[in-house]
Amino acid sequence: MKNAFIGSAVERREDLRFLRGRGEYVDDLRPDGLLYAVILRSSKAHGRIVSIDTTAALKVRGVHAVITAQDMPGGPPIVPMRLQPLPEFKPFEQPVIADGKVRYVGEPMAVVIADSVAIGEDALEAIEVEIDALPAVADWHVAQSGQSLLFEAQGSNRSLTFYAVRGDADAAFASAPYVRRETLRTGRHYGLTMEPRGVMAQWDAAKGRLTVSGAAKVPFFNRRILAKQIGLPEDSIEMIENDVGGGFGARGEFYPEDFLIPFAARHLNRPVKWIEDRRENLMAMNHAREAEVDVEIACERDGTILALRGHIHTDMGAYMRTNGAVGARNIAQFMAGPYRVPNVKLDVSLWMTNKTPVGTYRGPGRFETDFFRERLIDMVAQDLGIDRVALRRKNLIARTEMPYPIATIAPYEHKDEYDSGDYQETLDRCLAEIHWSEKAKLQGRRIDGRYHGLAVGCFIEGGAAGPKETARLAINEDGSISVYIGSSAVGQGVETVFAQIAADALEIPMDRIRGVFHGSTAYVSDGYGAYHSRSVVMGGSALLDAALNFKAALCEAAAQRLGCAASAIVVTEDKVSAPGGTSLPLSAFAGLSREGAFLNKKHTYSYGAQAVHLAVDAKIGQVEILDYVVVVDAGRIINPMTLRGQVIGSLVQGLGGAFLEHLVYDEQGQLLTGSLADYLLPTASDFPNLRAFTMDRHPSPINPLGAKGAGEGGLIGAGGVIANAVANALQSFNPDLRELPLTPSRVWAMTQPRA
Amino acid sequence: MKLPPLEYACPTSLSEAVALLAAGGGEARALAGGQSLMPMLAFRVVAPALLVDLRKLPELREIEISADGVRLGAMVRWRDIEDDERLTAAHPLLKAAVAHVAHYQIRNRGTVGGSIAHADPAAEMPGIAVTCDAEIAATGAAGQRTIRAADFFLSALTTALKHDEIITEIRLPAWPAKRRWGFREFARRRGDFAMAAAALFYDQDAAGKAINAHVGMIGVGDRPCRLPEVEALLNGRTIDEATIERAAEITSATVDAQEDIHASAAYRRSLAGTMVERALRSAAA
């Protein structure tokens, strides 16, 4: 039989479990003897710890321990970087608990272990902390001044400067007939998960084994960190992945709590659980996005882009966390986006500030840089009197130019290139779906008191981070097949898409795939996790390899039992057959298991276009989205339905970043948006008119599936497209639109006379 | 975000509830629907020694409509107001305002008295009370008293209520059938606290000119307030476009707006004017 589950809109296998309330989240785990951890967090943004007196807290009834840096001989361990672990970043990495200094509001200072969370919180109030406040570094401008240093020994608040280089930008600018220079900014927001983070650790003193539940995203890497920090062999630690209520790049990285809770469990020889509350989540989970660029674009008079040049400043918060540099480097490398920009010279300075540290959030750096780029392109179009669509068409990289080399991040990374695609196709489809030519006449028009605006933008999204992924197939007692993968489930639907891939690879019905097991360190020999839209490309390709190995082993074993050549064995639904009709059920081979792997150094690049039609109530600064279309070509698509859902979901997050979500700090480094009453997330009624279309016309040449990482694209383009459409709507006011988010107050201000 | 240690009582009579509050000194708090108090407890920004739950006082749950007006028991919930069809005629402004209160789940629990006692400057019910010259009836250890809404709200989250007093009802004066009214609110998302809202009404004399104009502003400044300058403008005038625009200008010029993390003071002043303008336009339509 020839299967075609790949490419079909197969319903998500995991949904029944969730819809019936049978998901199991880390907070659902309540082993006997469980104790609860609560964390004392710094209320000061910057200061020296004079003393932490836990005497009174220890006397609170039901408190078992209060752990501080003093309890860690040799000082608290440091959380190492996972991505771009450059030597320059080392001094800026975060200790698992404040040691001598506090550097942001929310930094862990002490951990209370108690019979309940409420008792633990009572004890928090009894801890006496004395901090000598130091001047806060509340943004990158203050960081640059160097008046107050987060890490005095480093002599600067700048951890590093990356360079993105291609061609000779200075030469191009020297002779360019048209140049525009702009300062643009994106606000600070983050990948807020509905389920906050959680860790539950159990220590088996007799066996010397540590079990950590609540692992997500990159459990194998986190196990390596923890093993080293806590002084255990890796194989004495098991990381268990549970169901998760959202990942978005932020959950599952190694945070201070990922050491503190296992440490406490071992310290007390009791199971210990910590569940982040929402207030903690807002100040402890990785922040993202805050950046400012001073950037120039050079063009021919006909709109041909010649070069990009400029300076980027990112606000890193107080420490370099595991993947903290990704957003910054991406802003630089992908500022050119899907356009042909022969000359690039951008530097990006990473500034340490007294705020919550940053990490990746879905579309890291890409949301920001797409806003910068697409906004610039609309400004260029206006300056040069060129239609916005025509200007984009002229500069989009052509199919014939693939693979297309892009700017290299100096001095550390190898060359990268876009793998395949026809960017014009997605632009055409997007314009057709939103009825651009009919709506074009509405641009800037005032209808029933509201100004109508249109915009279109093009994007690329990266995926498929290497170096490797592992997958295993095994025959169960009943003859069904189990799939084990090194990737993690963070809501992407991996149980569904991996069952599709396995069923096609083995040419058996999907219901023969009994389970897809993922994320936990017990399932495969090595795993790399779920980030950079890598699971399908890496894990899926590993699964194809595992299927080859598995089928060969199965045919070999069947051939021996059935007395024929392995090549003559035919595998069907639930049995193996030899020529002549003898056969054995698959259950006869229960336990047969083979691993496969996929190694890869290249990246996939999905791409697409998005367009919006919106209306602005200028008097109150309110924007209503009337229609929003995203078109994405993701190469070979495993499941167009789950992809479409991912695109819509990410788009809503992008709109949150464009309009609502904003982590606001004051000059003292106090976080002013400490609850969901002030940090505004999109809700179900905010953005009803969103549409997504998927295309699969240009498979990736770099993996056997032809797949590309996808699901971030809706978000990536949203800031730029929204900004341009609002500017388009308000064109009669000549609006000053250089910053996200577009709050009502800011939109209204654009319609007011300039001071 | 767990509650601090506290005692809990659920009295079955008003006198018992008042006695509990009185005995608690300043350390006891009444619990109505809990939609503001419970989060504040979870954040530990308040930590009373005793919570006195009012949910077993059925006499506080009634909506009474008479020639004198509308009497809302303090424990009437937003959902009760939404579901009471009599109020569409008896007090359309109240009904319009309550439609903006928070979300479905919160409307099932939040109470009129709780909102008045909490006194959030951006909440609808205190604004309606002030706009409509409501009377707030309270019972304490010293007996019953009635407080005019205009005297009740002192500043953000601060009222004239004594620590042993429980709001029993809110009395809204009678609503003439031909009264003109408007309510406009803008919040960043549906159900959020108002960035600004205007609640207003006026009656008309035989010549069609406005009399008895009441213009209330919510979400701007530290408490809901009336706008006497705007009311003075409207009284005696036909509510035409020119008057409406002038009313908006006066509003923007007179409201006391502050900058916060959501908006500049200039925006809020402008928004206040726009809300009055739009509420007036719908009143005059």
Side-chain angles (χ1 to χ4, degrees):
Chain A
M1 82 188 261
K2 270 287 172 202
N3 277 346
F5 292 113
I6 293 178
S8 302
V10 174
E11 283 189 16
R12 278 165 49 103
R13 288 183 146 201
E14 39 280 82
D15 284 349
L16 267 186
R17 183 169 86 245
F18 295 135
L19 293 171
R20 288 172 172 164
R22 291 184 188 155
E24 189 177 65
Y25 300 83
V26 61
D27 198 22
D28 294 328
L29 306 174
R30 289 186 170 81
D32 290 341
L34 180 64
L35 297 176
Y36 297 83
V38 297
I39 298 171
L40 178 72
R41 296 179 182 278
S42 176
S43 60
K44 296 270 193 315
H46 195 194
R48 276 180 227 294
I49 300 172
V50 178
S51 63
I52 302 175
D53 183 350
T54 62
T55 317
L58 281 164
K59 288 182 186 151
V60 174
R61 203 184 150 118
V63 169
H64 293 254
V66 182
I67 296 165
T68 68
Q70 306 293 325
D71 296 298
M72 295 165 200
I78 304 294
V79 181
M81 288 182 77
R82 181 172 67 82
L83 301 172
Q84 290 97 28
L86 305 171
E88 291 89 336
F89 291 137
K90 267 277 161 230
F92 301 96
E93 290 171 344
Q94 181 167 11
V96 296
I97 198 160
D99 187 19
K101 270 188 98 174
V102 290
R103 295 187 176 89
Y104 64 95
V105 170
E107 181 162 6
M109 300 178 70
V111 185
V112 175
I113 310 296
D115 286 333
S116 74
V117 175
I119 292 170
E121 290 189 13
D122 295 348
L124 288 190
E125 296 178 353
I127 300 176
E128 303 265 356
V129 174
E130 195 184 333
I131 294 175
D132 257 359
L134 294 165
V137 177
D139 63 37
W140 79 265
H141 293 277
V142 179
Q144 190 182 39
S145 77
Q147 286 160 1
S148 180
L149 294 175
L150 273 79
F151 300 83
E152 290 85 352
Q154 301 311 309
S156 162
N157 289 317
R158 188 172 52 100
S159 62
L160 186 67
T161 297
F162 283 121
Y163 300 87
V165 183
R166 183 172 187 227
D168 186 345
D170 288 338
F173 270 91
S175 60
Y178 165 84
V179 171
R180 177 149 183 169
R181 181 174 179 174
E182 283 295 335
T183 298
L184 301 157
R185 279 181 294 274
T186 47
R188 195 178 195 85
H189 57 275
Y190 81 120
L192 185 149
T193 54
M194 285 317 293
E195 181 210 12
R197 292 179 300 139
V199 183
M200 206 269 291
Q202 291 170 280
W203 171 245
D204 183 335
K207 293 185 183 144
R209 283 190 67 79
L210 185 62
T211 305
V212 182
S213 301
K217 188 178 180 180
V218 285
F220 286 88
F221 182 84
N222 290 354
R223 181 169 69 167
R224 275 197 286 284
I225 299 180
L226 181 60
K228 212 168 158 185
Q229 288 180 336
I230 211 160
L232 285 171
E234 273 184 47
D235 58 10
S236 294
I237 301 176
E238 192 174 342
M239 307 289 274
I240 310 286
E241 187 196 63
N242 306 93
D243 285 322
V244 298
F248 313 130
R251 180 199 300 281
E253 289 295 331
F254 199 100
Y255 287 85
E257 297 85 359
D258 292 286
F259 170 84
L260 294 172
I261 306 310
F263 177 84
R266 194 182 181 192
H267 188 69
L268 291 167
N269 198 18
R270 292 272 296 267
V272 174
K273 182 164 75 177
W274 167 75
I275 300 295
E276 187 178 51
D277 68 31
R278 185 60 70 194
R279 178 168 46 177
E280 288 184 290
N281 180 258
L282 281 149
M283 62 175 74
M285 206 165 188
N286 286 341
H287 286 184
R289 302 271 196 258
E290 187 173 9
E292 179 173 320
V293 297
D294 167 11
V295 63
E296 293 175 281
I297 185 167
C299 300
E300 298 284 7
R301 284 274 153 210
D302 69 358
T304 303
I305 299 173
L306 298 170
L308 275 171
R309 181 171 72 176
H311 313 289
I312 301 158
H313 303 277
T314 58
D315 185 323
M316 306 306 294
Y319 296 100
M320 291 303 301
R321 278 193 176 164
T322 53
N323 57 13
V326 173
R329 72 167 295 294
N330 283 0
I331 293 176
Q333 186 166 39
F334 298 110
M335 193 175 283
Y339 304 103
R340 191 185 305 104
V341 182
N343 303 291
V344 176
K345 183 185 171 192
L346 296 162
D347 56 65
V348 51
S349 297
L350 283 63
W351 296 102
M352 311 311 293
T353 63
N354 291 120
K355 299 184 196 167
T356 299
V358 305
T360 63
Y361 166 30
R362 203 174 192 178
R366 300 167 192 272
F367 173 87
E368 301 91 299
T369 214
D370 274 42
F371 165 66
F372 303 143
R373 176 189 69 244
E374 295 295 329
R375 189 76 197 102
L376 269 180
I377 290 178
D378 266 27
M379 290 171 169
V380 168
Q382 191 176 15
D383 284 354
L384 297 179
I386 300 172
D387 175 73
R388 294 184 291 163
V389 174
L391 181 60
R392 286 178 169 82
R393 272 195 203 293
K394 176 182 277 296
N395 289 292
L396 278 176
I397 297 162
R399 186 173 57 81
T400 51
E401 294 172 88
M402 296 292 172
Y404 184 85
I406 59 172
T408 305
I409 292 296
Y412 298 101
E413 296 185 17
H414 62 77
K415 293 188 182 308
D416 199 356
E417 60 189 25
Y418 298 155
D419 53 343
S420 66
D422 187 336
Y423 296 173
Q424 302 277 353
E425 279 180 359
T426 48
L427 176 58
D428 288 339
R429 175 80 185 274
C430 183
L431 295 170
E433 294 290 351
I434 203 158
H435 306 293
W436 181 272
S437 49
E438 292 158 47
K439 285 183 178 157
K441 61 181 181 295
L442 297 174
Q443 298 179 76
R445 268 185 56 194
R446 187 163 180 256
I447 302 165
D448 293 335
R450 297 194 303 175
Y451 295 88
H452 286 243
L454 279 183
V456 63
C458 303
F459 66 92
I460 49 109
E461 59 174 307
K468 185 186 173 190
E469 195 50 271
T470 316
R472 187 162 64 86
L473 288 163
I475 301 181
N476 304 314
E477 292 298 325
D478 64 357
S480 65
I481 309 285
S482 285
V483 176
Y484 299 88
I485 50 169
S487 302
S488 301
V490 286
Q492 333 90 306
V494 298
E495 291 170 34
T496 306
V497 297
F498 281 101
Q500 291 178 260
I501 295 169
D504 272 12
L506 298 173
E507 298 181 70
I508 59 173
M510 241 180 94
D511 59 17
R512 302 298 302 164
I513 309 292
R514 197 179 70 185
V516 174
F517 300 93
H518 46 78
S520 300
T521 51
Y523 294 143
V524 290
S525 61
D526 196 8
Y528 290 81
Y531 62 95
H532 194 249
S533 287
R534 66 186 299 283
S535 291
V536 161
V537 173
M538 297 299 300
S541 299
L543 190 50
L544 293 187
D545 186 52
L548 283 178
N549 296 339
F550 175 86
K551 270 203 285 197
L554 176 61
C555 290
E556 195 65 42
Q560 280 190 14
R561 304 260 298 261
L562 295 171
C564 68
S567 58
I569 295 290
V570 175
V571 183
T572 50
E573 188 160 338
D574 55 358
K575 62 178 192 286
V576 288
S577 311
T582 52
S583 70
L584 280 168
L586 282 186
S587 57
F589 301 90
L592 187 133
S593 164
R594 284 296 180 276
E595 243 182 45
F598 181 62
L599 298 151
N600 172 40
K601 282 184 180 168
K602 294 187 168 182
H603 295 147
T604 62
Y605 287 93
S606 292
Y607 58 90
Q610 38 190 284
V612 68
H613 172 206
L614 51 73
V616 184
D617 184 339
K619 290 195 82 171
I620 62 175
Q622 186 183 33
V623 179
E624 185 190 358
I625 291 174
L626 302 173
D627 192 14
Y628 201 121
V629 170
V630 181
V631 176
V632 60
D633 191 312
R636 190 158 173 227
I637 295 168
I638 311 303
N639 189 325
M641 180 182 69
T642 59
L643 174 58
R644 188 179 156 279
Q646 293 280 318
V647 174
I648 294 280
S650 71
L651 174 56
V652 172
Q653 287 185 306
L655 295 172
F659 289 117
L660 294 165
E661 297 181 52
H662 198 192
L663 292 158
V664 182
Y665 281 85
D666 69 11
E667 288 174 1
Q668 280 73 48
Q670 288 293 332
L671 177 64
L672 303 181
T673 47
S675 80
L676 293 189
D678 286 320
Y679 185 80
L680 307 182
L681 278 180
T683 60
S685 59
D686 288 316
F687 305 113
N689 304 318
L690 313 178
R691 299 188 288 147
F693 301 90
T694 62
M695 296 172 73
D696 57 358
R697 290 182 39 81
H698 299 279
S700 174
I702 70 155
N703 67 82
L705 277 171
K708 296 184 176 185
E712 307 180 58
L715 187 155
I716 288 168
V721 169
I722 287 294
N724 282 334
V726 169
N728 179 253
L730 299 179
Q731 57 188 261
S732 55
F733 299 96
N734 188 25
D736 179 8
L737 200 167
R738 290 173 174 81
E739 185 168 11
L740 295 177
L742 293 169
T743 63
S745 185
R746 283 181 178 165
V747 171
W748 169 82
M750 289 172 210
T751 68
Q752 300 302 301
R754 309 265 173 94
Chain B
M1 295 182 69
K2 303 294 177 198
L3 306 199
L6 49 74
E7 297 295 318
Y8 169 86
C10 192
T12 51
S13 74
L14 186 60
S15 55
E16 193 189 341
V18 169
L20 284 164
L21 286 179
E27 296 299 308
R29 287 284 289 264
L31 172 68
Q35 298 306 291
S36 300
L37 183 54
M38 294 305 283
M40 289 169 76
L41 289 168
F43 274 106
R44 299 194 176 208
V45 295
V46 291
L50 172 68
L51 274 189
V52 179
D53 192 339
L54 306 182
R55 73 189 164 86
K56 289 190 178 167
L57 305 179
E59 66 268 36
L60 302 188
R61 296 200 166 219
E62 280 165 25
I63 300 177
E64 191 187 305
I65 297 169
S66 70
D68 294 335
V70 175
R71 296 156 76 101
L72 300 170
M75 290 295 283
V76 164
R77 297 173 197 273
W78 309 121
R79 173 66 59 212
D80 302 329
I81 293 173
E82 284 185 289
D83 288 349
D84 194 324
E85 289 175 10
R86 299 172 302 165
L87 285 170
T88 308
H91 213 294
L93 179 62
L94 170 70
K95 201 138 188 174
V98 167
H100 290 264
V101 176
H103 307 97
Y104 186 88
Q105 293 84 347
I106 293 172
R107 289 203 297 270
N108 282 336
R109 286 230 169 223
T111 65
V112 167
S115 175
I116 296 274
H118 183 56
D120 191 301
E124 289 80 4
M125 194 65 217
I128 292 300
V130 166
T131 304
C132 298
D133 281 331
E135 289 178 343
I136 294 154
T139 300
Q144 295 185 22
R145 68 172 175 139
T146 298
I147 311 158
R148 292 178 57 231
D151 303 326
F152 187 84
F153 301 100
L154 304 181
S155 69
L157 311 189
T158 308
T159 71
L161 211 59
K162 297 195 175 80
H163 72 79
D164 62 0
E165 285 183 316
I166 293 170
I167 297 173
T168 54
E169 68 180 23
I170 290 88
R171 301 178 196 132
L172 296 163
W175 188 270
K178 290 189 171 174
R179 178 166 281 176
R180 296 281 183 164
W181 63 275
F183 186 87
R184 281 293 182 277
E185 173 172 322
F186 180 55
R188 292 197 56 189
R189 299 170 304 180
R190 169 148 191 87
D192 281 345
F193 277 113
M195 303 269 283
L200 55 83
F201 64 83
Y202 56 86
D203 300 316
Q204 286 170 303
D205 64 15
K209 296 193 189 307
I211 53 173
N212 190 33
H214 284 54
V215 179
M217 182 54 55
I218 296 164
V220 181
D222 67 354
R223 71 194 105 164
C225 62
R226 299 259 301 267
L227 301 176
E229 294 91 342
V230 179
E231 292 172 358
L233 170 83
L234 301 181
N235 282 328
R237 279 197 171 77
T238 306
I239 308 304
D240 55 15
E241 239 349 83
T243 306
I244 290 171
E245 281 174 26
R246 184 74 193 120
E249 285 168 22
I250 294 174
T251 301
S252 295
T254 54
V255 292
D256 177 24
Q258 304 295 325
E259 177 169 358
D260 65 15
I261 58 169
H262 294 296
S264 66
Y267 169 78
R268 269 227 167 67
R269 277 195 296 276
S270 170
L271 182 66
T274 303
M275 292 297 103
V276 165
E277 174 187 323
R278 292 180 180 181
L280 262 182
R281 200 169 284 138
S282 90

